[in-house]
Structures are given as structure tokens and as C-alpha cells.
Amino acid sequence: MKIAFFDAKPYDKPSFDQFSAEHDVIFKYFETKLNEDTVDLASGFDGVCVFVNDTVNAAVIDRLCELGIQVVALRCAGFNNVDLQYAFGRIHVLRVPAYSPYAVAEHAIAMLLTSIRRIHKAFIRTRDYNFSLAGMTGFDLHGKTVGVIGTGRIGRVFINICRGFGMKVLAYDKYPAEGLDNGDTIRYVPLDILFAESDIISLHCPLTEDTYHIIDEESLIKCKRGVVLLNTSRGALVDAEALLSGIKSRKVGAACLDVYEEESELFFEDFSGHILNDDTLARLISMPNVIVTSHQAFLTEEALANIAETTVTNIVGFFRNRQCPNEVCCKCGSTTDCMNGICF
Ligand code: NAI
């Protein structure tokens, strides 16, 4: 099985080399992202392996099919970069549904604590022997209300950590998890109540038509003044312009962003020394109360090993058995109800 591996980074190779060596899988690593201009690199391969910012749209799918590619193996959980409707009946799409929910939830907490306790400021100050505490006042998490949108694997780990801090949890999910609501410290509420009562809001839902810009001008109006927003899920859950306005008007107290709507051309690459053309991102980064990390929440040793192992297992299962429990159903987009193998 020869697989063209797009958007390869140095940290991908050790774990993928280790697991592929144990099976009959050969990865050819391409640093470029998959898109309409690069798709021909997949010529002669059996499948492609892609990440969050590769483009698997109709044109790319058509060309992959012409090249005889049977499978797109995502090495991530989210699949909003794949045109699933178009993929149905044409190409199989596999994913890694879970690799370390702890990695992402812990990163969200790391960003939250960094932000509200001004650790990013303190780090720079003390390196300059500036030991002043002016402007460093934070607030306790204990007793605060956190709104969690999306109570799947990552959302639930995040909730557990928040409970450890003594926070009250308001949760919202289109498909609430059974047994999570305890009627007291963790309660499912309608979205408007979550917006109105949360001191901190953390996004852990996928990007879908329903959740696109779930944080926008309208929802920010409903939020508490000074709300802290965490997004470690997908950039387009947040309307970045509305967020910027919310920060300027002081409605938003702080924002911690591991993802950004227009990240695909920027994140994972080194643009230091370049002029950033994205004014919205540049303005957000310039704010003292905004922390941006470049889609690094997943990046732990444990997660990388799990991603490689599951991706290789998916590919081997697909080619050897024509069966993969981690196939995304391209017909209905479901990853929970139709996980019975090949979806067409
Ligand atoms: P999951 O599938 O276990 O949970 C997602 C939850 O969102 C489910 O409970 C689902 O019912 C809920 N949901 C679906 N539609 C919704 C809607 N319209 N409104 C509210 N909730 C809705 O997924 P998991 O593993 O918890 O991942 C969550 C998201 O985290 C992924 O979709 C992905 O976008 C993001 N992610 C980010 C990473 C990073 O490095 N920053 C790494 C891994 C995932």
C-alpha cells in the first residue's frame, strides 16, 4: 500500500515510520498541502493521507479518482475540509476519531490559565528583570461558570478538569450525553442561557452548517461583559471580525484561539520576518488579552503515536479487509450511526 502523505511535518515522520514499518504501508512524505494544484503528486499511489488544512473539494476528489486513488485517510478527527457530499460514491474517507482528548482539553486549560493569570506577560517581564505586578491581576477559576459547547470526547475531558477547579458547568450539545447532567454542578442548558450566564465559554463541537460562526455578533451580544472565549475546535466556529469588535468594545475580556478561520495558509508555517497580510489575525495577535497558538492543541507525544497507529490501522483495514470502523459516512456525514464499515 503506497500512500501519498501531504502536509508532512518533521514531527509526523517518526511515529508514522514506526507504525508503517510494522505493516505493509509505505508513506511518501510531501511537505506541500493537498489541493487542486498539488493533487497530481498522488499519481501512482493507492491512497492519500491528509490533515486539517489540506483541501479535499470536488475538483480534488475528481482528480484523485482519475488517478485511481481509492481512499482519503485523514489523520485528524475533524473532516470539514472534505466535501463529503461529493465524496459519496466516489472515494472512501477514513479518519482518526480520537487520539488524545486530553491533549486538546489540557491545551485549552493551559491557554485559559495563561490568559487569566497573565503568564504570557509575566514570562516576558521577568526575562527583562521587570518584577512589577502592575496590570497582572487575574481572577480565580473556582466558583466561575464555564459554558461548554460540544460535550463529546474532548468536551467531557475539559468539563472534568473544570470540575477539578471547582467551576460550575453549563453545557450545550445538539446530542446531549446521557448521564452527564447532574442537575447541579453540570447542567445542559439552551445556548442562549449558556451565553448569558457563562464567565468562560469553550468550544468543543465540530464545524458544521449549524455551528458555523456559532460565536458571532449576535451571540456576543447575549454574553456577559468580560466573557473569556476559548476556541480549540475549528476556526470558523468564531466570526473573527465580530470577536475583534467584541474585544475592542471590551465585551470580550479575553480570547484564547488555537484555531482561526483563515488559518490554512498560515498555521504550521514560519512567517517570521514576513509581513502578515491578514489584518484581522494581526490585530487579534496585537491585543494584550488575546493568545493565539497555531493549531497545536493536538501536539503531544501520546496523540502523535495514537494518530499514526490509528491511521495505519485504518489504511490496512481498508485495503486488506475492505472494512474500516473509522470510515466517515460520506452519504450522511455521520460518524456515529453509520460506522459499520464501507459506506457505499
Ligand atoms: P466528538 O465527536 O467526540 O464530540 C463533538 C460533540 O459536538 C458531540 O457531542 C456532538 O454531539 C457535538 N455537536 C455536534 N453538532 C453540534 C452542534 N450543532 N451544536 C453543539 N454540539 C454539537 O469530537 P471531539 O473528539 O470531542 O472533538 C471536538 C472537536 O475538536 C472536533 O470536531 C475538532 O474540530 C476539534 N479538534 C481540535 C484539535 C486541535 O488540535 N485544536 C484536535 C482534535 C479535535
Side-chain angles (χ1 to χ4, degrees):
M1 291 154 274
K2 284 170 62 193
I3 308 295
F5 190 110
F6 286 88
D7 201 10
K9 294 286 181 286
Y11 49 78
D12 290 319
K13 293 178 191 171
S15 48
F16 274 89
D17 282 345
Q18 183 199 327
F19 287 103
S20 60
E22 293 167 12
H23 298 86
D24 188 21
V25 178
I26 298 163
F27 287 110
K28 166 92 177 167
Y29 298 105
F30 295 107
E31 285 182 16
T32 183
K33 292 184 181 63
L34 176 65
N35 56 41
E36 289 161 50
D37 298 327
T38 62
V39 63
D40 279 359
L41 289 170
S43 175
F45 290 87
D46 302 306
V48 294
C49 181
V50 302
F51 198 48
V52 292
N53 290 324
D54 292 292
T55 304
V56 190
N57 58 17
V60 170
I61 291 169
D62 276 344
R63 187 64 188 137
L64 288 174
C65 294
E66 282 165 19
L67 295 172
I69 300 289
Q70 300 175 46
V71 70
V72 176
L74 291 157
R75 51 182 192 279
C76 52
F79 44 86
N80 51 281
N81 52 334
V82 179
D83 185 340
L84 279 185
Q85 299 289 325
Y86 197 77
F88 178 65
R90 292 184 169 89
I91 201 159
H92 295 274
V93 181
L94 319 177
R95 69 165 188 150
V96 181
Y99 34 91
S100 174
Y102 309 103
V104 182
E106 289 172 15
H107 189 82
I109 293 289
M111 293 186 90
L112 174 62
L113 285 170
T114 301
S115 168
I116 66 162
R117 301 308 302 268
R118 320 279 189 258
I119 305 297
H120 55 311
K121 299 278 167 205
F123 177 76
I124 292 165
R125 265 193 204 184
T126 54
R127 285 172 72 88
D128 204 22
Y129 308 133
N130 175 354
F131 302 114
S132 148
L133 291 182
M136 301 296 248
T137 310
F139 63 81
D140 292 1
L141 287 179
H142 183 89
K144 294 294 181 301
T145 298
V146 60
V148 179
I149 302 181
T151 56
R153 297 174 190 87
I154 296 169
R156 288 203 300 273
V157 173
F158 181 82
I159 287 171
N160 277 342
I161 301 173
C162 290
R163 286 296 307 133
F165 280 106
M167 300 167 84
K168 193 176 137 193
V169 177
L170 298 179
Y172 172 78
D173 197 299
K174 198 171 175 186
Y175 311 100
E178 256 179 60
L180 184 65
D181 187 325
N182 61 14
D184 180 21
T185 50
I186 306 174
R187 284 190 299 124
Y188 275 111
V189 292
L191 207 45
D192 280 357
I193 293 187
L194 184 149
F195 287 140
E197 296 183 11
S198 299
D199 302 298
I200 296 148
I201 295 176
S202 195
L203 304 176
H204 298 291
C205 55
L207 175 62
T208 64
E209 276 177 18
D210 286 349
T211 60
Y212 176 77
H213 285 184
I214 196 165
I215 302 296
D216 61 4
E217 196 183 340
E218 213 179 303
S219 50
L220 285 175
I221 288 169
K222 297 172 190 161
C223 289
K224 276 189 176 180
R225 192 168 177 79
V227 64
V228 177
L229 182 74
L230 311 181
N231 188 7
T232 55
S233 210
R234 282 294 179 267
L237 297 175
V238 176
D239 177 345
E241 291 292 344
L243 175 63
L244 191 54
S245 304
I247 287 165
K248 284 190 197 162
S249 70
R250 317 298 197 262
K251 179 76 189 235
V252 176
C256 303
L257 309 173
D258 185 51
V259 285
Y260 172 67
E261 187 165 3
E262 303 300 332
E263 72 179 46
S264 64
E265 295 303 316
L266 296 168
F267 282 15
F268 307 130
E269 309 300 336
D270 181 359
F271 286 99
S272 53
H274 292 253
I275 290 163
L276 197 65
N277 287 327
D278 188 322
D279 288 353
T280 308
L281 181 61
R283 191 79 175 97
L284 281 169
I285 288 173
S286 77
M287 295 289 178
N289 53 352
V290 174
I291 297 179
V292 175
T293 52
S294 46
H295 209 134
Q296 84 176 62
F298 74 99
L299 197 62
T300 66
E301 287 173 12
E302 292 80 359
L304 288 175
N306 289 341
I307 288 170
E309 185 174 18
T310 307
T311 305
V312 170
T313 307
N314 284 348
I315 291 167
V316 170
F318 176 81
F319 282 104
R320 292 230 176 100
N321 312 322
R322 291 280 155 191
Q323 195 80 8
C324 175
N326 294 330
E327 174 151 23
V328 181
C329 180
C330 326
K331 188 169 188 187
C332 63
S334 171
T335 53
T336 48
D337 299 327
C338 304
M339 300 266 294
N340 301 320
I342 305 309
C343 70
F344 64 87

